[in-house]
Amino acid sequence: MFSTAHIVAVLIGGMLISCLFFMRRKWHYIEGYKQIEKSYALSLFIMEILYQTWLWKTNRWDMSYSLPLELCSISVILAIVLLWTESKYLYDFVFYAGMGGALQAIMTPDLELGFPHFRYFHFFYTHFGIIFTACYFTWYKGYLPTFKGIMKTLLLLNLLLPIVFMMNGLFDGNYMFLRAKPSGGSLLDYLGPYPWYLFSLEFVAFFLFLFFWVIFRLGTRNSVERQSKRQ
């Protein structure tokens, strides 16, 4: 965390998100953008397959931490499906839970292997991929985050928790950090001891989702107003 490789990855990802924002009005003039969407979804899928293959080939694969039960693992899968199906039902979860989880992971990466290892590239590519997908559907496809979407996402997260708790108990895992905080340090360190940080996370998630909703709705509204004035 906060190594040169970490900071460079954050800067590159931030610049790419900025480019995505500033190019939003030109996207529909690009031919074959549907194929680009599906190709990007395929690249995320391939990265996940390569990661699972690497775990298996190096004898690292284990039921306690290799299943796609982390918040960001679930979000990557849903982002891939969203890019292929354009389902509005998946958008809320990817936008709120996916982007919130990915941002926290990017800022405080829980990584044993750094640059130039494959795991380094997989980690940042897939986590930024969640954010790119959420921003793309907001800025390019016209999907708008709603307050109702916040409540739906929080409800779905709380419905997932008992399932993940059960899987943690069965396989002695720590998916979603529901049994312990990450050893490398994270936001959870400021939310109290176990199990109280789990309750604190409910409030953090709500206010983080609310922040996303206000910022993106305000930005979209201002963009539309400026475009109307030019017309």
Side-chain angles (χ1 to χ4, degrees):
M1 186 166 55
F2 304 133
S3 64
T4 300
H6 177 207
I7 293 171
V8 169
V10 172
L11 290 176
I12 292 174
M15 287 189 291
L16 291 174
I17 292 172
S18 298
C19 290
L20 190 70
F21 175 77
F22 289 116
M23 290 179 61
R24 66 194 186 282
R25 294 192 184 93
K26 301 178 181 179
W27 183 248
H28 291 292
Y29 297 103
I30 299 176
E31 294 183 3
Y33 68 89
K34 289 283 188 181
Q35 286 71 28
I36 296 175
E37 294 172 8
K38 289 181 170 52
S39 297
Y40 186 60
L42 183 61
S43 73
L44 289 171
F45 178 74
I46 290 172
M47 286 296 281
E48 285 297 294
I49 294 298
L50 289 175
Y51 174 58
Q52 292 292 327
T53 302
W54 169 72
L55 288 174
W56 185 265
K57 289 289 186 180
T58 57
N59 295 317
R60 292 171 179 263
W61 202 96
D62 191 277
M63 296 286 280
S64 64
Y65 57 80
S66 301
L67 297 175
L69 292 176
E70 301 288 2
L71 177 59
C72 289
S73 301
I74 296 169
S75 299
V76 168
I77 294 171
L78 295 183
I80 293 169
V81 178
L82 176 60
L83 284 162
W84 271 86
T85 65
E86 301 184 350
S87 171
K88 292 184 178 180
Y89 296 103
L90 300 179
Y91 168 75
D92 285 328
F93 191 94
V94 174
F95 180 86
Y96 289 119
M99 194 157 62
L103 279 173
Q104 193 275 330
I106 288 169
M107 297 310 297
T108 58
D110 185 29
L111 275 174
E112 294 181 1
L113 300 166
F115 180 87
H117 196 275
F118 162 75
R119 173 59 176 146
Y120 168 88
F121 293 101
H122 165 265
F123 180 90
F124 286 105
Y125 187 81
T126 54
H127 282 82
F128 271 114
I130 298 168
I131 299 174
F132 292 156
T133 302
C135 291
Y136 173 76
F137 273 83
T138 305
W139 294 333
Y140 288 73
K141 309 291 283 188
Y143 291 38
L144 289 177
T146 63
F147 186 81
K148 182 179 179 181
I150 294 176
M151 306 313 293
K152 286 166 56 179
T153 303
L154 287 172
L155 176 61
L156 184 56
L157 283 172
N158 280 280
L159 290 175
L160 282 172
L161 290 183
I163 299 173
V164 179
F165 264 119
M166 181 181 68
M167 300 300 282
N168 281 338
L170 285 174
F171 303 119
D172 193 28
N174 188 29
Y175 294 109
M176 291 193 181
F177 303 115
L178 296 182
R179 298 181 75 183
K181 301 176 184 179
S183 58
S186 72
L187 172 66
L188 302 183
D189 293 335
Y190 302 95
L191 300 181
Y194 180 87
W196 302 111
Y197 71 83
L198 299 177
F199 298 100
S200 301
L201 271 175
E202 295 278 354
F203 296 98
V204 171
F206 174 76
F207 286 109
L208 181 62
F209 296 170
L210 191 64
F211 174 77
F212 289 159
W213 175 59
V214 171
I215 293 298
F216 276 80
R217 291 287 296 212
L218 183 62
T220 303
R221 185 178 65 187
N222 290 342
S223 177
V224 172
E225 288 175 355
R226 285 194 297 268
Q227 189 172 2
S228 299
K229 289 179 181 178
R230 289 171 184 168
Q231 295 173 349

